[in-house]
Amino acid sequence: MARLTTIKPMISRIAPRMTAAAATYSPDTRGDWSKLYDMRSWRGEPHGLRWRTLLRDHFTCQMCGKVEASTKRLIGDHLVPHKGDIRLFLDPDNVWCLCASCHDVECQTIEAMLFDGDEIRSAKISRRVVGFDGVARTPKCRWVDQRRKA
């Protein structure tokens, strides 16, 4: 009869293969994209795209019109999800300023329901009802997609 001590070496050879397979099939697809948000061209204080977007939008949420004093509560949201595409990621016309609540609720819901970039962009822009001065405005603004007119 075989000893039980022979099972231990077999398990130690199987365990590394099991962890590698788990890492390959991980449901987290943002792993590669999160590095983009650490780039100096995005995060850099005076010249980064996020900071320039916050200044351009006057630290005002473009969906609800809320003005935030703390920049930690403001998010530079991509109108069309970049999905790792560096050109879309660094396109200033593809980024707008949102408060955390609008980003986490409205935008994430839109992105979960729609898959086409142009549809997502149109749906997000259609939710923009407040201007810089707090007066309701039509959704036609500087983010109206010029490609659709062509």
Side-chain angles (χ1 to χ4, degrees), residues 6 8 19-20 35 39-40 46 50 52 65 68-69 75 95 128 132 135 146 150:
T6 59
K8 185 178 179 181
T19 57
K35 294 177 185 175
M39 289 179 9
R40 189 174 202 176
R50 178 183 177 272
R52 285 183 291 155
E68 284 285 352
I75 296 170
V95 181
R128 184 176 187 262
F132 295 131
V135 177
Q146 299 298 325

Side-chain angles (χ1 to χ4, degrees), residues 3-51:
R3 292 179 171 185
L4 291 177
T5 56
T6 59
I7 294 176
K8 185 178 179 181
M10 290 176 54
I11 292 174
S12 67
R13 283 182 279 169
I14 293 172
R17 285 188 257 157
M18 290 174 57
T19 57
T24 305
Y25 298 106
S26 172
D28 180 26
T29 57
R30 263 196 84 196
D32 298 333
W33 307 344
S34 62
K35 294 177 185 175
L36 294 175
Y37 291 96
D38 294 332
M39 289 179 9
R40 189 174 202 176
S41 55
W42 171 260
R43 184 140 327 259
E45 190 69 26
H47 302 293
L49 179 59
R50 178 183 177 272
W51 184 254

Side-chain angles (χ1 to χ4, degrees), residues 55-68:
L55 285 173
R56 178 193 70 196
D57 295 343
H58 304 289
F59 303 96
T60 304
C61 176
Q62 297 300 298
M63 279 195 172
C64 68
K66 183 178 181 181
V67 178
E68 284 285 352

